[in-house]
């Protein structure tokens, strides 16, 4: 696939910030299917395989409640056919001494849409929104050695360190997790 074709395919994916009602509306459909696909693909995103559709939908219903309370913002990408192809969340730190900080959570791209820059576009959308609301520091964690680490490093994130055996992979094996952080430059993000 040429770079031009890749770019055309990626830009055909529309990114939308989801309201809590929209999260609820899609929880049992595209959002649950995306989460199941991620776990089935081996992504260490908090669940063990096999992840049932009902459990995935329930997690998204809880995410909608967090969005309603202002704790979480969710963006989803939609392919040319209208199906959910990716998602990312910004979770706000809850303590009074951390109004400047947020966490990137659940960056998921459907296996059929991977490798085309969609994860990068979703990450950029969350970073821009965080900067616009005054966040100056973002953190995230990811499975050590995963392809996501390359994405984060290329997007300017700094590796803070790894913790051995921190989480279980979907098949139940303990695996290290690496933490990353990014100081946000509001003006630079606005140009990106």
């Amino acid at each position: 696939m040429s770079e031009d074709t890749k770019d055309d395919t990626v830009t055909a994916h529309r990114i939308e910030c989801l309201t809590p009602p929209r999260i609820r509306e899609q929880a049992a459909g595209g959002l649950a299917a995306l989460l199941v696909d991620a776990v089935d693909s081996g992504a260490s995103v908090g669940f063990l395989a096999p992840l049932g559709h009902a459990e995935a939908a329930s997690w998204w219903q809880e995410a909608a409640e967090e969005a309603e309370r202002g704790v979480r913002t969710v963006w989803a990408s939609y392919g040319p056919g209208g199906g959910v192809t990716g998602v990312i969340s910004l979770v706000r730190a809850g303590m009074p001494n951390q109004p400047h900080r947020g966490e990137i959570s659940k960056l998921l791209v459907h296996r059929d849409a991977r490798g085309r820059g969609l994860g990068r576009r979703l990450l950029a959308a969350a970073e821009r929104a965080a900067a616009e609301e005054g966040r100056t520091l973002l953190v995230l964690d990811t499975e050590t050695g995963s392809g996501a680490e390359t994405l984060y490093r290329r997007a300017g994130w700094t590796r803070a360190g790894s913790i051995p055996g921190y989480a279980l992979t979907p098949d139940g094996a303990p695996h290290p997790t690496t933490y990353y952080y990014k100081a946000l430059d509001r003006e630079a993000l606005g140009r990106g």
Side-chain angles (χ1 to χ4, degrees):
M1 182 179 287
S2 75
E3 285 302 313
D4 290 338
T5 305
K6 277 183 168 182
D7 289 346
D8 290 345
T9 303
V10 170
T11 56
H13 291 251
R14 173 179 51 88
I15 296 176
E16 175 185 328
C17 184
L18 302 182
T19 62
R22 187 105 160 103
I23 298 169
R24 284 189 186 91
E25 171 189 305
Q26 296 186 21
L31 292 174
L34 180 64
L35 184 52
V36 169
D37 174 74
V39 173
D40 285 351
S41 299
S44 180
V45 292
F47 298 93
L48 298 175
L51 176 61
H53 192 85
E55 184 180 357
S58 176
W59 187 88
W60 282 110
Q61 291 293 348
E62 292 173 20
E65 290 175 19
E66 290 179 342
E68 203 155 62
R69 293 192 316 267
V71 173
R72 177 183 299 269
T73 300
V74 177
W75 292 265
S77 62
Y78 298 89
V84 177
T85 55
V87 71
I88 192 168
S89 291
L90 170 65
V91 180
R92 288 154 192 85
M95 299 307 292
N97 69 340
Q98 300 168 12
H100 63 289
R101 189 170 65 76
E103 179 180 355
I104 295 296
S105 174
K106 298 288 186 281
L107 173 55
L108 310 173
V109 175
H110 193 279
R111 69 178 99 193
D112 294 339
R114 290 182 193 151
R116 300 182 201 144
L118 187 54
R120 173 65 187 211
R121 286 185 59 216
L122 285 161
L123 183 60
E127 290 175 359
R128 270 192 307 276
E132 286 170 4
E133 64 182 49
R135 310 268 165 210
T136 57
L137 179 67
L138 293 177
V139 296
L140 63 81
D141 67 89
T142 191
E143 182 179 357
T144 303
S146 69
E149 283 198 277
T150 302
L151 165 69
Y152 298 131
R153 283 192 302 270
R154 286 183 180 162
W157 287 71
T158 302
R159 182 182 185 277
S162 293
I163 302 172
Y166 185 80
L168 302 180
T169 57
D171 64 2
H175 203 276
T177 293
T178 301
Y179 279 84
Y180 284 84
Y181 68 92
K182 185 172 188 178
L184 298 180
D185 176 350
R186 188 175 181 177
E187 282 136 29
L189 288 170
R191 292 188 301 266

